[in-house]
C-alpha cells in the first residue's frame, strides 16, 4: 500500500548532497507529494519561487549549502511570498 498523506502538496527540496536529496524526494513522492527540485543552490531555489505556478506548500531547506552559502535568503523569500496571503486587514 502506498501512503498518500501528502497527495497534491508541493514540496520544495533544497539539498546539496545528492544522495540525501534523491532519497528525500523519493520518500516525498511515495507519500504523494509533488517535489519541486531537489535543487542544490539558493539561485535555483529562488528561480523556482519566481515561478508563480510553482509555489510550494511546504519547503525542506538544508541550511548549509554549496560554497559556504546558506538557505536564509530562501526562507526570507518564502516569508515575503506568503506574508501577503496571511495579512489581516482591519
Amino acid at each position: 500500500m502506498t501512503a498518500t498523506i501528502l497527495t497534491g502538496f508541493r514540496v520544495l527540496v533544497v539539498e546539496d548532497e545528492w544522495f540525501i536529496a534523491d532519497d528525500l524526494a523519493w520518500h516525498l513522492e511515495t507519500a504523494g507529494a509533488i517535489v519541486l527540485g531537489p535543487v542544490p543552490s539558493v539561485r535555483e531555489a529562488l528561480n523556482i519561487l519566481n515561478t508563480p505556478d510553482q509555489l510550494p506548500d511546504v519547503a525542506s531547506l538544508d541550511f548549509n549549502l554549496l560554497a559556504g552559502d546558506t538557505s536564509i535568503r530562501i526562507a526570507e523569500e518564502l516569508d515575503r511570498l506568503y506574508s501577503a496571503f496571511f495579512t489581516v486587514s482591519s
Side-chain angles (χ1 to χ4, degrees):
M1 180 170 102
T2 302
T4 56
I5 194 165
L6 296 176
T7 297
F9 281 91
R10 292 179 309 271
V11 181
L12 173 63
V13 175
V14 181
E15 173 60 62
D16 60 348
E17 295 287 336
W18 186 85
F19 287 111
I20 295 171
D22 187 56
D23 190 52
L24 180 56
W26 181 86
H27 284 286
L28 289 166
E29 288 170 347
T30 299
I34 300 163
V35 176
L36 306 177
V39 295
S41 69
V42 172
R43 180 185 55 80
E44 291 176 78
L46 293 177
N47 284 341
I48 289 174
L49 295 179
N50 285 325
T51 308
D53 62 340
Q54 293 287 320
L55 291 179
D57 297 299
V58 66
S60 173
L61 306 177
D62 178 9
F63 185 77
N64 293 308
L65 299 171
L66 299 171
D69 211 352
T70 69
S71 59
I72 291 173
R73 289 187 4 228
I74 302 164
E76 290 172 340
E77 182 64 8
L78 286 165
D79 181 55
R80 187 191 71 75
L81 289 168
Y82 287 100
S83 290
F85 291 111
F86 299 107
T87 301
V88 178
S89 59
S90 51

